[in-house]
Amino acid sequence: MRVSQLFTKTSKTLPADETSKNAQLLIQAGYIYKVMAGVYAFTPLGLRVLENIKQIVREEMNAISGQELIMSSLQKRSTWEETGRWDDEVVDIWFKSKLKDGTDVGFGWSHEEAIIEMMKQYITSYKDLPVNVYQFQTKLRNELRAKAGIMRGREFVMKDMYSCSINAEQHDKFYNDCIEAYKRVYDRLGIGDDTYVTFASGGAFTQFSHEFQTVCEAGEDIIYLGKNKEGKTVAVNEEVLDDKTLADLGLKREELEKVKSAEVGNIFNFGTQKSEDTDFTFTNEKGERQFVHLGSYGIGVTRVMGVIVEKFADEKGIVWPEAVAPATVYLTRLGTTPEVVQAAEDLYKELTSGGVSVLYDDRDEARAGEKFADADLMGIPYRVVISDKTMANNTLEIKARTSDTAEHISRPELMQKLAA
Ligand code: ATP
Ligand code: MG
């Protein structure tokens, strides 16, 4: 990708109507465009980050036998009436509309009921189970407050997975596999060390649930961290903080550290409650009807992107972990002599064909300081400089985004470093 071809431009001034750091930086660096409060478009750069996050999630969901699909955004009223969740008193974030003939439709804020309705068509026998499906989809929610940038959108991308199991044992195995898969996801996204699995109440519709909470100043939630007897850090959700919980975990109230956190994922065990409400059954080996065990598993894809920005950004701008960065290298050409232009073009080709993703600053008019500031603001993990000076020494300059000092290395050394 060439910087000269990006239609987005970086900006030095803070967007006037944004108070959240993630939205400010993502707008300034050209990753997102604000349509209105809580509604953002993703530019080519932003889309790359989003797709990198999705790909990590996708690989881990596939690894535990998840099958990807995509449901519709428009939903029927009857789908949600069975469980009482069409009612605005029960679900307060619905966007609803009507077809031309007056028929009510809702815009998908979740797909739990919609998935069940679909699966009832396909799952009738024990031979059809288990089934685990997931999707990435833009959820539409009429959230009351949307002041946290992409961490709380009225339109946001979620990975939602649903499990249909034959019995509690099969369900529990998948539920636990999913906890492990989520841990791998957050590790790969670079926030694993600060992300905790917490037990949560789960509300009226579930038997129990777990949340994945990432320590983050900009988060809306609060968790308490403490050390158990084995010296492992344990986290407790504010909403279930009682002495018996704590005692079960081997924790004492005075010894806990209170921190702000963002819910980056959650998993729910419905048992057979939802299948009883919706009459979702299968016939077992003896020909008897039984209720399907259901679970639901979310990851806030766009929220995670916001959390990563919030956690790692410094005074110069965004700092992407390599796994999600829109490019690994910000290749900076300084100077416009035919020799340096040719050498930079060659290096760009060599890196790209060697599998290294490059954002190539090929602008003639921009000064060195401007190019460096953009590389920092955009948060690209490595900045490589090629100039008449580096060419005279037969070296290239490389600097990690998080380091203060640059290194001078040869072209083969650079290739080796980046390929590793
Ligand atoms: P929250 O308590 O933050 O409102 P939720 O309990 O409504 O979240 P779910 O409906 O189960 O969460 O959604 C699954 C995941 O989607 C959440 O764990 C969170 O990471 C993300 N998420 C939920 N609402 C939003 C939103 N408005 N904007 C961005 N991400 C969201
Ligand atoms: Mg919510």
Side-chain angles (χ1 to χ4, degrees):
M1 208 177 339
R2 288 168 188 268
V3 174
S4 64
Q5 287 173 3
L6 290 178
F7 67 81
T8 51
K9 303 280 176 282
T10 57
S11 159
K12 287 198 187 70
T13 45
L14 287 180
D17 56 345
E18 282 291 353
T19 50
S20 82
K21 180 163 76 176
N22 70 80
Q24 287 174 344
L25 285 171
L26 288 166
I27 290 170
Q28 280 186 282
Y31 287 92
I32 60 171
Y33 163 77
K34 184 175 191 171
V35 179
M36 61 177 112
V39 182
Y40 299 89
F42 286 74
T43 67
L45 279 178
L47 185 61
R48 277 197 174 198
V49 177
L50 207 56
E51 291 300 324
N52 289 341
I53 297 172
K54 282 167 64 179
Q55 188 54 26
I56 288 172
V57 176
R58 177 178 285 125
E59 284 170 17
E60 297 299 342
M61 296 307 105
N62 289 349
I64 55 168
S65 79
Q67 299 182 54
E68 189 170 351
L69 51 67
I70 187 148
M71 300 297 289
S72 66
S73 289
L74 290 181
Q75 299 178 339
K76 289 184 295 185
R77 175 185 177 135
S78 58
T79 308
W80 291 89
E81 270 179 342
E82 254 179 331
T83 55
R85 295 214 285 176
W86 176 258
D87 189 343
D88 291 319
E89 301 284 313
V90 179
V91 172
D92 62 359
I93 39 99
W94 268 118
F95 281 113
K96 292 175 179 173
S97 187
K98 285 183 193 300
L99 301 181
K100 295 281 188 204
D101 68 2
T103 307
D104 284 320
V105 286
F107 297 100
W109 62 278
S110 158
H111 287 76
E112 278 163 7
E113 275 74 341
I115 284 273
I116 292 171
E117 187 172 76
M118 185 179 97
M119 285 306 173
K120 280 165 77 172
Q121 295 294 310
Y122 296 104
I123 295 170
T124 53
S125 148
Y126 69 97
K127 291 179 195 151
D128 301 326
L129 292 166
V131 174
N132 307 306
V133 293
Y134 72 95
Q135 62 175 346
F136 293 97
Q137 207 184 45
T138 300
K139 305 288 182 200
L140 300 162
R141 293 186 181 181
N142 204 345
E143 300 272 4
L144 188 59
R145 280 178 300 276
K147 289 184 183 152
I150 62 167
M151 288 174 64
R152 179 166 300 282
R154 297 199 163 96
E155 221 185 285
F156 64 95
V157 179
M158 191 201 287
K159 184 285 299 175
D160 41 327
M161 177 153 71
Y162 305 91
S163 66
C164 306
S165 304
I166 214 160
N167 54 28
E169 194 188 350
Q170 193 174 70
H171 169 84
D172 290 348
K173 168 146 188 353
F174 186 77
Y175 191 91
N176 291 325
D177 285 351
C178 189
I179 291 182
E180 295 310 314
Y182 271 33
K183 287 182 186 165
R184 288 193 293 275
V185 165
Y186 299 119
D187 277 343
R188 290 179 64 184
L189 293 173
I191 54 173
D193 287 347
D194 263 348
T195 300
Y196 297 94
V197 190
T198 66
F199 187 73
S201 73
F205 299 98
T206 52
Q207 293 193 329
F208 63 84
S209 76
H210 286 93
E211 290 179 352
F212 290 75
Q213 293 278 356
T214 307
V215 177
C216 178
E217 233 353 87
E220 294 174 23
D221 296 344
I222 290 181
I223 56 168
Y224 291 85
L225 301 177
K227 294 232 190 286
N228 65 13
K229 284 196 203 82
E230 290 87 53
K232 289 200 188 106
T233 306
V234 189
V236 185
N237 214 300
E238 185 175 46
E239 61 172 26
V240 293
L241 189 76
D242 72 43
D243 289 328
K244 186 188 170 330
T245 307
L246 292 178
D248 289 350
L249 295 166
L251 300 173
K252 288 205 194 81
R253 197 177 272 264
E254 310 84 70
E255 293 162 8
L256 298 177
E257 185 195 353
K258 181 178 176 179
V259 292
K260 290 177 87 176
S261 63
E263 183 195 308
V264 289
N266 57 16
I267 58 178
F268 295 96
N269 173 18
F270 295 125
T272 55
Q273 192 184 324
K274 241 181 211 293
S275 53
E276 286 172 40
D277 291 345
T278 55
D279 197 30
F280 182 13
T281 61
F282 65 96
T283 46
N284 68 14
E285 278 160 301
K286 295 179 198 146
E288 300 156 346
R289 275 182 8 117
Q290 284 185 348
F291 289 110
V292 178
H293 276 69
L294 297 172
S296 148
Y297 314 80
I299 289 183
V301 173
T302 38
R303 179 177 293 178
V304 162
M305 180 169 163
V307 167
I308 291 172
V309 174
E310 294 277 345
K311 284 185 76 66
F312 300 122
D314 61 16
E315 66 294 343
K316 294 179 193 151
I318 295 168
V319 178
W320 294 118
E322 260 184 81
V324 303
T328 308
V329 170
Y330 193 93
L331 174 60
T332 315
R333 165 166 63 77
L334 302 182
T336 52
T337 61
E339 293 76 22
V340 80
V341 170
Q342 191 56 54
E345 292 288 331
D346 289 349
L347 184 59
Y348 177 48
K349 275 198 206 104
E350 190 181 346
L351 285 167
T352 310
S353 55
V356 182
S357 67
V358 181
L359 186 56
Y360 172 28
D361 197 341
D362 58 340
R363 291 174 297 175
D364 288 339
E365 68 291 353
R367 294 168 166 280
E370 212 177 311
K371 291 190 174 190
F372 292 167
D374 280 353
D376 284 344
L377 177 60
M378 287 183 190
I380 311 299
Y382 293 99
R383 185 185 81 198
V384 171
V385 177
I386 186 163
S387 65
D388 291 315
K389 210 165 97 192
T390 67
M391 281 170 65
N393 297 332
N394 212 7
T395 58
L396 294 158
E397 187 191 294
I398 181 165
K399 187 183 95 56
R401 172 65 179 80
T402 49
S403 159
D404 289 331
T405 48
E407 253 185 283
H408 294 268
I409 58 176
S410 70
R411 205 156 148 158
E413 281 169 340
L414 178 80
M415 292 307 297
Q416 211 174 10
K417 187 182 174 83
L418 293 172

